[in-house]
Amino acid sequence: MQPIRSDATQESTKTLIKDRFELVNLLGSGGMGSVYRALDRRKVEANDSDPYLAVKLLNDDFKQHPDAFISLQRESRKSQNLAHPNIVTVFDFDRDADLVFMTMEYLDGTPLDKLIRQNAGKGLEKERADNILRDITSALMHAHSQRIVHSDFKPGNIFVTKKKGAKVFDFGIARAVSGGLAEASGEKTQFDAGTLGALTPAYASLEMLKGEEPSESDDVYALGCVAYELYAGRHPFNKVPADKAKAQRLKPKRLKSLTRRQWRALEGALAFERQERIQDAAEFMRLFFGRNRAAWLVAGIAAFFSVVLGVSFYFQYQEQRQVDQAYKAELEQKLQQELLVSRIADKKQAIDRLIQQAALSVDWERDLRGELKELAALGSNEAYIDEAQSRIASLFFTAAREYIAAGELENGERALTRADGWNTADAAQFIEIKRALASEKAKLEARLLAEQQAEIARIAAEERAKARAERERKMAIHNQQVEAIIGKLERQLRCGFGLNVTGDIAGTLSEMRTLDSKKAQKLEPIVASELASCFGRLARENPKRTAALLVQAQTLLPGQEALSRFKIDYCGHLEPGTGGRGLRYSCADPLPGGGSGPALVSVAGESRQVISMGRYEITWGDVRPWCSRSGVCGEGVKTASSAMPATGLPVEAINGYLAWLSQETGYRYRLPSYREWFGAASANGEREQPDRNCYLKYGGIEKGGELVAANAGSSNANGLINHVGNAAELVLDGNELLAVGGSFLDAMSSCLATTKQRFDARNNEEVGFRVVREAPRN
């Protein structure tokens, strides 16, 4: 596309677009379309001092592409988004019938390709070339900052104005690189202007010629070609495309007018491979121009020449303005009458064409009313308008008669009503057709009434028989389906860890609810009871796996008592006296907030009852969560080691911890009785562990004297560790509290399972405790 300029002489026909923009003369044509100098009649009416602008029309060849309309719209929007002093300003985008166009600022100057041709073989003056290159590089810098690649940068798309510097235009195939404006708005998936094939081979990078994704470095290659032409007056590769130039190993000739730094920057822009090329316009600007210490001097000189040039162009501008104003006045007077006559003829032709079509549709009628209204607004055409309305009404009268004759009374009535909607409709015809319509409707109603009564009686008898048979059939099917679902549910409820509660069982219950909600309500308690019975058996094998199934069942069947009151004993699977076999024979109750309670082993209690007793002495780590909530344990709990036995606690603190633990787990935790403790600690007369933490000093060996971690040492046959020695342990003997098992301060000889003494709350620093958890009752 050629630039928007004022020196073109080719005159266009006086085409009027959107009843507003009159094309005055052709400025130039390009791959996508043609650009005209146009007069904006709205500005003429408003007495605007500068009513001219440029209009870009999509050319006929380009319009054949299915995405042409989208292309020009994209160019318009991208140019509007890329507002910059060195980018042509775009005002709007629109269409008028088959004309697709956009409006933009009108520029006064010369296209860069023409300037280069005028200076072929020698290039522009160094200072002017520098100014142009700086302007167009700034334009690309702004586009690249918006993640937009021009994709067709060349001298033909650059315009050097007389007053506003160089300007870049024709972002017709500009594309957004990954992450840019187009991709964020979903444009890339809808339309890519690069597919129109409008790039210029001599300025296209190697990657563009290969059809790769666009990059800012593609514009840098084109910028390098343009820069070379500015200083040398010729293309760096004699217009040979990049792929062929690379194959021929062409290299640009060194330009003596450029400094060494500038030549290195230009070579970097002209690199064939993207990875070797300068990546964007900002980097090229920095490498080529660098920091100019005399920028203030250049700016001053530029300002001076701007004033001088402004004075020289002022008189030319005034002369052109007087010519334009005289032309506007003459045109306004001439066009008023021509436009009115032309528009009246066009409207009559459109109305006649619509009447001849006789489509009789709602849209057809609406279009006719609109055309007649616009014709009336243009002047006195009452006779023609009345005649046209009569013709339209006659069409509807004819249609009404045909509908009535064919028995389509509703359509006939609608056609008659629409005929009456036209002011000049024949009243006699209207009355005649209306009477014929009423007579036919009465005959039809009588006939239909008799037919309806007979049909109603017949249908009623048939429907009663059908309904009875259908009810019986549905009931039989329903019962079969219910039995099938119950049978499937019985198979799915076979007890085992393979129960698929959230899948198979939930799906089958959902089927039953959909099929028969009342039966489902009766079935759910039975399913809950079966699951609870199964969980009781499974819990004795693996309580943790059973707990997961229980949660699924309670979620599936909320409010079912058999499941809501079911309690899993996490120690119920352990046999008494097996704790000494290892950690896998211990258990612990989960806590609601995460973690678990003290480790327990199963032992025989009083009267042959099975109880769970703490494997270890209770540690500071065990009591710390409760102590933090209650604040009754003292400050020492914050710094005490989590692995050490909790000693020196007041009895009320111990009882508070046991109550909290019982509430959290749902099981009753308490202190062991002396008989329970002794039976578990003595393990049927088993000797005390030789590594127990009691005081011993013999020769060079010294043992005891301080607490060790609760899990240090060996266990007895019941799995208890540090039950003798380390911390003395608090137990109940009737209503009396005893400290049993000796402590780290007691000598080995008196540190035995039989060691016991009354608990002294005033001297309890070496006294800890071990818990007992009673078995649940389901």
Side-chain angles (χ1 to χ4, degrees):
M1 186 189 81
Q2 294 299 316
I4 305 163
R5 60 182 187 243
S6 62
D7 57 349
T9 58
Q10 181 177 352
E11 290 294 321
S12 71
T13 57
K14 295 297 187 291
T15 301
L16 187 64
I17 302 176
K18 298 292 283 188
D19 290 336
R20 176 176 178 179
F21 305 109
E22 180 181 311
L23 305 185
V24 178
N25 60 287
L26 176 67
L27 299 178
S29 300
M32 289 179 61
S34 301
V35 179
Y36 294 83
R37 180 172 181 250
L39 179 68
D40 187 348
R41 290 189 171 185
R42 297 293 177 272
K43 290 187 177 182
V44 172
E45 293 172 2
N47 292 321
D48 194 305
S49 61
D50 185 15
Y52 291 96
L53 45 71
V55 174
K56 178 177 182 178
L57 298 180
L58 210 63
N59 65 31
D60 292 334
D61 292 336
F62 199 73
K63 281 191 293 185
Q64 301 305 314
H65 194 284
D67 292 321
F69 180 83
I70 300 175
S71 174
L72 197 57
Q73 191 272 340
R74 292 288 186 270
E75 179 184 354
S76 172
R77 197 178 73 180
K78 287 169 187 171
S79 300
Q80 289 172 338
N81 291 337
L82 291 175
H84 187 271
N86 299 113
I87 296 177
V88 172
T89 301
V90 173
F91 300 133
D92 200 6
F93 166 82
D94 206 345
R95 77 183 310 161
D96 188 0
D98 61 342
L99 292 178
V100 181
F101 69 97
M102 68 179 182
T103 57
M104 62 191 81
E105 66 175 319
Y106 174 74
L107 300 178
D108 185 15
T110 308
L112 182 58
D113 57 351
K114 183 176 180 180
L115 287 177
I116 291 174
R117 287 194 301 271
Q118 291 172 353
N119 295 272
K122 60 180 180 179
L124 280 68
E125 295 178 1
K126 180 68 165 55
E127 181 178 352
R128 191 177 188 190
D130 285 346
N131 291 336
I132 293 173
L133 181 58
R134 186 178 283 106
D135 285 349
I136 62 180
T137 305
S138 296
L140 286 182
M141 283 175 60
H142 181 68
H144 291 177
S145 71
Q146 303 297 317
R147 308 294 290 158
I148 293 294
V149 180
H150 188 288
S151 294
D152 193 27
F153 190 79
K154 58 185 179 181
N157 285 337
I158 301 167
F159 196 83
V160 182
T161 69
K162 294 180 179 179
K163 298 181 181 180
K164 300 179 181 180
K167 295 209 174 198
V168 180
F169 57 93
D170 203 356
F171 279 77
I173 62 169
R175 294 183 289 179
V177 297
S178 177
L181 295 174
E183 183 168 316
S185 64
E187 224 178 74
K188 188 166 178 58
T189 59
Q190 297 294 323
F191 171 73
D192 185 356
T195 63
L196 297 176
L199 56 80
T200 303
Y203 299 89
S205 68
L206 187 64
E207 293 79 8
M208 291 177 66
L209 294 172
K210 292 179 179 179
E212 294 183 9
E213 284 296 311
S215 169
E216 292 92 340
S217 68
D218 298 332
D219 285 348
V220 174
Y221 178 85
L223 178 63
C225 293
V226 173
Y228 195 98
E229 289 182 281
L230 282 171
Y231 296 102
R234 65 181 183 276
H235 189 277
F237 305 113
N238 296 320
K239 298 293 180 74
V240 176
D243 52 355
K244 295 180 180 178
K246 181 183 177 184
Q248 298 172 19
R249 298 184 179 180
L250 299 181
K251 291 185 178 180
K253 184 178 180 181
R254 172 75 160 86
L255 299 180
K256 296 181 180 180
S257 62
L258 300 182
T259 66
R260 184 180 303 172
R261 181 196 66 202
Q262 290 174 330
W263 177 246
R264 285 199 301 270
L266 188 54
E267 279 188 315
L270 292 172
F272 291 123
E273 298 294 339
R274 181 175 288 173
Q275 61 270 23
E276 298 174 3
R277 193 183 312 136
I278 293 174
Q279 294 302 301
D280 57 27
E283 185 180 1
F284 178 83
M285 176 74 86
R286 178 179 62 80
L287 293 175
F288 191 91
F289 289 104
R291 294 185 177 181
N292 190 353
R293 296 178 180 176
W296 62 271
L297 179 59
V298 173
I301 295 172
F304 171 78
F305 278 108
S306 175
V307 172
V308 173
L309 290 172
V311 172
S312 66
F313 290 132
Y314 174 76
F315 295 102
Q316 179 182 349
Y317 169 75
Q318 290 287 23
E319 180 181 353
Q320 179 66 41
R321 182 181 178 186
Q322 292 175 0
V323 172
D324 289 345
Q325 286 177 342
Y327 175 75
K328 284 191 295 181
E330 177 186 353
L331 178 69
E332 185 66 26
Q333 183 177 6
K334 175 184 176 182
L335 288 181
Q336 288 297 330
Q337 186 60 34
E338 291 180 359
L339 181 61
L340 179 61
V341 173
S342 175
R343 293 190 66 187
I344 289 174
D346 288 346
K347 288 299 174 186
K348 287 183 178 181
Q349 185 178 6
I351 292 167
D352 290 340
R353 185 168 58 251
L354 283 171
I355 294 175
Q356 290 171 3
Q357 291 175 358
L360 301 188
S361 65
V362 175
D363 291 339
W364 173 81
E365 190 173 8
R366 183 180 61 247
D367 291 344
L368 272 170
R369 291 189 185 278
E371 296 289 349
L372 287 168
K373 182 178 180 180
E374 292 179 11
L375 179 61
L378 292 175
S380 178
N381 291 279
E382 294 182 3
Y384 174 83
I385 292 174
D386 289 345
E387 185 268 339
Q389 288 182 335
S390 296
R391 290 162 62 194
I392 296 167
S394 296
L395 291 174
F396 281 115
F397 283 143
T398 301
R401 290 190 179 93
E402 292 175 353
Y403 282 131
I404 293 172
E408 299 180 27
L409 303 185
E410 291 184 1
N411 288 335
E413 187 170 14
R414 278 194 290 268
L416 184 61
T417 302
R418 291 170 70 185
D420 191 44
W422 293 93
N423 298 333
T424 58
D426 188 334
Q429 286 193 70
F430 177 81
I431 295 172
E432 173 197 345
I433 297 173
K434 190 172 184 180
R435 287 175 179 171
L437 179 63
S439 175
E440 291 299 320
K441 288 174 70 175
K443 294 176 184 178
L444 179 61
E445 289 173 359
R447 184 171 65 254
L448 290 177
L449 179 60
E451 291 175 354
Q452 287 174 356
Q453 290 174 345
E455 185 66 14
I456 289 171
R458 184 186 64 81
I459 291 174
E462 289 182 357
E463 290 299 321
R464 285 192 295 270
K466 286 181 181 179
R468 183 168 57 252
E470 184 64 17
R471 284 194 301 272
E472 294 173 354
R473 186 185 67 84
K474 287 183 178 180
M475 183 58 67
I477 294 174
H478 177 82
N479 291 337
Q480 291 175 359
Q481 292 174 334
V482 168
E483 290 300 324
I485 290 175
I486 292 174
K488 182 165 61 173
L489 194 58
E490 288 175 348
R491 293 190 296 274
Q492 294 168 351
L493 287 171
R494 289 172 184 169
C495 189
F497 288 108
L499 281 170
N500 191 350
V501 177
T502 58
D504 294 340
I505 297 175
T508 304
L509 284 176
S510 178
E511 285 183 50
M512 182 61 83
R513 293 188 190 104
T514 302
L515 181 64
D516 193 327
S517 60
K518 291 183 179 179
K519 286 192 183 298
Q521 290 177 357
K522 294 179 181 179
L523 189 60
E524 288 175 0
I526 299 173
V527 174
S529 178
E530 287 291 322
L531 287 173
S533 177
C534 175
F535 294 158
R537 296 194 295 275
L538 296 179
R540 289 192 286 274
E541 297 180 39
N542 191 321
K544 289 187 178 179
R545 292 180 66 185
T546 306
L549 291 173
L550 176 61
V551 171
Q552 294 174 6
Q554 289 172 338
T555 303
L556 176 62
L557 298 168
Q560 291 297 329
E561 186 177 359
L563 293 173
S564 60
R565 63 181 174 80
F566 186 86
K567 193 73 175 175
I568 293 179
D569 184 359
Y570 286 85
C571 300
H573 64 297
L574 300 176
E575 293 292 332
T578 59
R581 299 178 187 175
L583 284 175
R584 56 192 293 259
Y585 289 92
S586 62
C587 59
D589 292 324
L591 298 176
S596 57
L600 305 170
V601 292
S602 181
V603 298
E606 299 181 52
S607 304
R608 296 184 178 179
Q609 289 183 336
V610 178
I611 60 172
S612 299
M613 183 173 290
R615 179 178 178 85
Y616 312 108
E617 300 157 315
I618 294 299
T619 66
W620 288 112
D622 292 326
V623 302
R624 186 169 285 125
W626 177 79
C627 289
S628 299
R629 290 178 175 85
S630 64
V632 301
C633 301
E635 292 297 321
V637 70
K638 297 180 180 179
T639 58
S641 173
S642 297
M644 301 299 287
T647 60
L649 286 173
V651 174
E652 55 270 22
I654 294 173
N655 289 333
Y657 168 71
L658 293 170
W660 172 80
L661 192 58
S662 299
Q663 181 179 359
E664 290 291 295
T665 64
Y667 302 109
R668 182 170 180 255
Y669 279 79
R670 58 177 174 80
L671 289 173
S673 70
Y674 175 70
R675 292 181 63 184
E676 290 170 339
W677 182 90
F678 183 76
S682 61
N684 297 321
E686 180 185 68
R687 292 184 60 188
E688 281 81 359
Q689 300 298 322
D691 63 346
R692 62 190 185 278
N693 187 30
C694 299
Y695 185 73
L696 172 67
K697 187 173 183 181
Y698 180 78
I701 300 174
E702 186 171 357
K703 182 179 177 63
E706 62 182 5
L707 286 170
V708 296
N711 62 354
S714 304
S715 70
N716 68 358
N718 285 323
L720 272 61
I721 296 177
N722 278 326
H723 48 290
V724 174
N726 207 29
E729 297 182 13
L730 198 62
V731 299
L732 276 169
D733 187 14
N735 294 324
E736 186 178 12
L737 288 171
L738 301 178
V740 298
S743 74
F744 62 92
L745 297 176
D746 293 324
M748 283 284 185
S749 59
S750 60
C751 189
L752 307 168
T754 56
T755 302
K756 63 178 179 178
Q757 60 182 353
R758 288 185 177 179
F759 173 68
D760 184 0
R762 295 169 297 177
N763 186 22
N764 67 343
E765 291 304 317
E766 72 276 11
V767 180
F769 66 101
R770 192 179 301 265
V771 298
V772 164
R773 195 212 73 179
E774 296 181 355
R777 297 175 183 176
N778 278 327

